[in-house]
Amino acid sequence: MKTCRSLLLLSFLTLSSLTVAQEPTLKVYCSAKPNSCLWLKEQMLSEFKMPSQVQVKSSGDVLNLIEAGNEAGFDIWWGGTGDTHLKAAENNLLAPIFLNNLEQQLFWSRNILEISKQRSIGIYAGILGIMINKKVLSEFNLEIPQCWSDLGDTRYKSQIIIGDPNLSGTAYTFLSTLFQIYKGKRTRQMVSDIKQNVRRTTKSGHKALTPLIAGENGISIAFIHDVVSVLDDNDDLEVIIPCEGTGYEIGAASIIKNSPYSDAAQRFIEFSTYPEIQNSLASDIGLQLYSNIHSVKSRAYFDDSYFNLINYDFFTYSRPQVRQRILDMWNSLD
């Protein structure tokens, strides 16, 4: 009898090890901060036995790769601004998502799922701000900008470094925020004035913070969670919430259409909505606001003044034609 039980146990263990070994290695585009992407990969393997190959790319980069046919055969797009995911969903480039714990997701997370017609789920949220280096501005005898409209003042010539809106979800959120606050010709003139003050652009929003921290320039545009980790160690840096109010992102997760491992991709995304995953990201790593109702509040958003938010219209500003019109205007400006 003992021999029979031993054989059954051995068979079970062998089958379990084969199941783990046969778990597909998911290919994941990650448009969050690199440390968040690496941590997520490690946790998925250690906690849920899900191996993955992760590439960190900006939202715009991933969108371009998917639109070009996803030749590298990636399965998942995790993180990055929701408007880019919604554009991919509208263009029928994503597969349906069904979560077993959908009732635990906050309204804004489920709203992305509804807008995308079940193709994307909101994972985290982040608030846009003006990031300044007070030391640099002081050296040039420049006042701290308090409003979006201040950024077009010629005094700030060559002081602004931001992401490239064609590639950076952060920068596109910035432009769409201006379009929602201001209307018509005034928006075009404001964006033109601001662009004249831009020294250079970067491929992603968080990369625009590196020169600011190094003292190369005085102003950048970024999400607050991308800069808060260095605020405590650098008294020269400060977050400004513009007087007109500010936009925000909802970082999404999606399954890329025709993934051969859609079931495993569903599990990967659902696991990333669990509190045990999101709490570590919120507390120490990603620092965004996360989607599960049981997840802790991020320490990045401790200040209530950060929540001077506009009624950001995700549906309209994710439409391909609207997005293209905004980018065409930006690209046409000298």
Side-chain angles (χ1 to χ4, degrees), residues 67-314:
E67 289 178 334
N70 188 29
E71 293 181 0
F74 272 67
D75 303 288
I76 296 171
W77 179 9
W78 197 94
T81 50
D83 58 88
T84 50
H85 286 259
L86 291 173
K87 182 175 185 289
E90 181 160 311
N91 288 340
N92 197 29
L93 300 173
L94 305 176
I97 292 177
F98 302 97
L99 301 186
N100 293 313
N101 64 342
L102 184 60
E103 74 283 352
Q104 295 181 11
Q105 307 309 306
L106 291 165
F107 167 78
W108 49 262
S109 171
R110 290 181 278 112
N111 187 46
I112 291 295
L113 188 66
E114 181 179 350
I115 293 173
S116 68
K117 298 180 180 178
Q118 295 285 135
R119 264 55 180 183
S120 294
I121 185 75
I123 297 290
Y124 59 78
I127 298 171
L128 195 68
I130 300 173
M131 311 301 168
I132 61 146
N133 187 314
K134 292 180 289 187
K135 181 178 180 181
V136 173
L137 293 179
S138 177
E139 289 172 351
F140 286 90
N141 295 316
L142 295 172
E143 296 180 357
I144 294 174
Q146 298 298 323
C147 306
W148 293 123
S149 57
D150 292 340
L151 300 183
D153 193 308
T154 54
R155 294 178 298 170
Y156 297 115
K157 183 75 173 178
S158 297
Q159 285 298 331
I160 302 175
I161 294 179
I162 61 173
D164 178 353
N166 298 284
L167 301 173
S168 163
T170 306
Y172 178 76
T173 302
F174 164 55
L175 290 183
S176 61
T177 295
L178 294 182
F179 269 77
Q180 292 175 71
I181 293 173
Y182 298 99
K183 307 296 180 183
K185 293 182 179 179
R186 186 177 181 190
T187 307
R188 182 181 180 88
Q189 186 59 55
M190 181 180 299
V191 173
S192 177
D193 291 342
I194 292 173
K195 191 172 184 181
Q196 295 301 313
N197 291 336
V198 172
R199 176 181 297 185
R200 62 183 175 90
T201 59
T202 59
K203 290 189 68 174
S204 64
H206 66 85
K207 286 184 178 178
L209 292 170
T210 301
L212 181 82
I213 295 168
E216 181 180 332
N217 64 301
I219 302 169
S220 292
I221 310 299
F223 292 112
I224 293 172
H225 53 260
D226 284 338
V227 72
V228 71
S229 60
V230 296
L231 288 177
D232 293 339
D233 300 322
N234 193 331
D235 292 336
D236 295 330
L237 302 181
E238 185 176 335
V239 175
I240 304 296
I241 299 298
C243 66
E244 305 98 328
T246 190
Y248 57 99
E249 71 164 336
I250 294 177
S254 306
I255 302 171
I256 301 171
K257 191 175 182 179
N258 297 325
S259 162
Y261 306 121
S262 58
D263 289 344
Q266 294 265 4
R267 294 198 304 275
F268 185 102
I269 290 175
E270 182 171 308
F271 292 154
S272 74
T273 67
Y274 285 5
E276 49 265 48
I277 292 294
Q278 295 190 351
N279 284 345
S280 291
L281 286 168
S283 300
D284 303 308
I285 303 165
L287 302 178
Q288 293 100 327
L289 300 161
Y290 284 86
S291 64
N292 195 293
I293 59 175
H294 301 300
S295 294
V296 298
K297 185 177 180 180
S298 166
R299 68 179 181 86
Y301 294 102
F302 60 89
D303 191 333
D304 288 343
S305 69
Y306 290 167
F307 291 85
N308 181 23
L309 305 176
I310 66 171
N311 185 20
Y312 194 96
D313 186 349
F314 286 97

